[in-house]
Amino acid sequence: MRLLLGLARIVALGGLLLLAGCVTANNSLSPNDIASMKLAGVAVSFAPDARIQWEDGLRAYADSKAVSLEQAATMADTPEAKAFVQGLLTPRIKAGVEQVLASRLAGTRPVRLDIRVKSLLFPSAIQRVVIGGHRGMIADANLVDARTGALILAYPELNASLYTGQGIVGAAVQAAIDNNATQTPVDKVSVRYGEIYRNWLLKDGV
């Protein structure tokens, strides 16, 4: 048991280090540049090899096909299943980020934030009990001119993660928190992503 717990801590620590290891991007825009911008929208896409782990999305796919969750898991890597899950995630990520940015970019120059998701992980309670893991998203954030599509500023692999309860007790506590929350875990991660990007873009600090 001690060996198992030790391995779980090592794996969990490795996951934390991975989530913390995001690219530090340079923001060369002046305050006047930023003040002139107005958010025209947020566009969300997924890298071809994007890694998605989201049990709720897989369960929704299972329901749509009238199959068990176990059967759906065997189809998770098919183009149809990926498109289904990504279709559920896209509006949630878009809404969460727009919620944070819209009021802070209210100038006259229309800009769009293009988000390209590379990794979005929501480890199950069982996984968090056995080996650990935290919720998070890694995605490229490209700010572009909404009229021309020209790139203004790039932040590759921006990483947003949230601490998630670990072990038997932690997973139980996290489940209680989730059940009483007004936002879903996907919503929370999306908002956190928007907050990190907003603080970096506006140079507000984190």
Side-chain angles (χ1 to χ4, degrees):
M1 177 61 72
R2 288 182 179 178
L3 177 59
L4 179 59
L5 291 175
L7 290 173
R9 292 190 184 98
I10 291 172
V11 173
L13 178 59
L16 283 173
L17 292 174
L18 178 61
L19 286 172
C22 57
V23 176
T24 301
N26 177 47
N27 179 357
S28 59
L29 296 179
S30 70
N32 287 338
D33 290 332
I34 299 167
S36 71
M37 295 176 179
K38 178 180 179 62
L39 186 68
V42 172
V44 179
S45 64
F46 292 80
D49 59 347
R51 182 184 175 199
I52 307 297
Q53 182 183 358
W54 184 41
E55 188 173 296
D56 288 348
L58 189 60
R59 183 174 288 107
Y61 179 69
D63 291 343
S64 75
K65 305 297 287 185
V67 299
S68 68
L69 183 61
E70 291 73 18
Q71 288 175 298
T74 66
M75 300 183 282
D77 290 331
T78 64
E80 181 188 50
K82 288 182 178 180
F84 183 93
V85 171
Q86 291 174 8
L88 295 179
L89 288 169
T90 294
R92 296 187 180 195
I93 297 171
K94 173 182 168 66
V97 175
E98 283 183 342
Q99 169 188 328
V100 175
L101 289 179
S103 64
R104 300 299 301 273
L105 295 177
T108 58
R109 179 189 181 187
V111 298
R112 185 181 71 248
L113 184 63
D114 289 346
I115 297 173
R116 187 169 185 259
V117 179
K118 293 186 172 180
S119 173
L120 195 148
L121 305 179
F122 292 85
S124 67
I126 293 176
Q127 179 180 330
R128 287 184 278 113
V129 167
V130 178
I131 64 173
H134 295 278
R135 297 164 176 168
M137 178 172 75
I138 299 174
D140 295 337
N142 292 319
L143 189 67
V144 303
D145 186 291
R147 295 192 182 99
T148 67
L151 178 65
I152 298 171
L153 192 65
Y155 193 138
E157 298 190 353
L158 191 159
N159 188 330
S161 61
L162 295 176
Y163 175 80
T164 313
Q166 308 293 296
I168 296 175
V169 174
V173 171
Q174 187 65 59
I177 293 172
D178 291 342
N179 289 335
N180 289 282
T182 57
Q183 290 181 312
T184 69
V186 171
D187 297 332
K188 290 180 180 179
V189 167
S190 300
V191 168
R192 181 56 183 152
Y193 186 93
E195 289 172 344
I196 294 172
Y197 184 79
R198 176 200 62 197
N199 294 338
W200 172 79
L201 179 66
L202 276 59
K203 304 178 181 179
D204 284 346
V206 178

